[in-house]
Amino acid sequence: MPGHFATTTLTLTTGTTETVTDLTHACEQFLAQHADGRDGLLNVFVPHATAGVAVIETGAGSDDDLLAALHTLLPADDRWQHRHGSPGHGRDHVLPALVPPHATLPVIGGRLELGTWQSLCLVDTNRDNADRQVRLSFMGQSPARGRPDTDD
């Protein structure tokens, strides 16, 4: 049985400070329009060399804690070989090795299956590029046409 596929690109402006931007609502809206009650997978991809995607609790300080931890692990100083941009910008190019530029999450009945306190977020430490794109792609099963799936 052929599957269902839908994709879109979100365009965001993250500003000139390090940010954790909650994408959960935008993902839910996308699924409400395109998943149509199907089970499947939502892939979230950031086509940037200096940003990543994280599943994390937001609003209780964890997003700020993540940025603080990244600042400790990847200080914005002159140690980096990659030197263009603002001071310490080379660390932004190392970020995707720690916070990957993608996540694939389960969708059940057309709804994103996150844990109680989980949110899907864009992590952006690059103060030099405030314009970001996020690709959302839903891959799901086609609805059964009144008969159970078979392996025949």
Side-chain angles (χ1 to χ4, degrees):
M1 189 177 298
H4 174 77
F5 181 79
T7 190
T8 193
T9 301
L10 305 175
T11 300
L12 308 168
T13 301
T14 57
T16 58
T17 60
E18 298 173 359
T19 61
V20 175
T21 304
D22 194 335
L23 302 172
T24 309
H25 184 69
C27 291
E28 289 169 342
Q29 286 182 314
F30 170 74
L31 291 170
Q33 292 176 334
H34 298 287
D36 196 29
R38 294 177 175 93
D39 294 348
L41 297 171
L42 175 68
N43 180 264
V44 181
F45 176 70
V46 181
H48 299 286
T50 59
V53 177
V55 177
I56 189 171
E57 178 181 8
T58 59
S62 296
D63 37 352
D64 291 331
D65 290 341
L66 173 59
L67 291 175
L70 290 171
H71 205 270
T72 299
L73 292 169
L74 305 171
D77 58 21
D78 64 356
R79 73 182 69 200
W80 308 102
Q81 299 298 311
H82 188 104
R83 295 187 185 266
H84 80 272
S86 61
H89 174 65
R91 80 180 195 112
D92 300 326
H93 288 273
V94 177
L95 173 77
L98 301 175
V99 181
H102 57 86
T104 301
L105 303 165
V107 176
I108 306 297
R111 298 182 57 110
L112 189 58
E113 285 292 303
L114 290 171
T116 302
W117 304 111
Q118 291 178 321
S119 295
L120 183 68
C121 299
L122 170 69
V123 179
D124 187 4
T125 59
N126 184 355
R127 297 170 302 179
D128 295 337
N129 184 1
D131 297 320
R132 297 299 185 174
Q133 292 184 333
V134 179
R135 164 77 56 189
L136 305 179
S137 299
F138 172 72
M139 298 157 282
Q141 66 181 13
S142 292
R145 299 182 193 272
R147 60 186 173 95
D149 290 342
T150 63
D151 292 333
D152 302 287

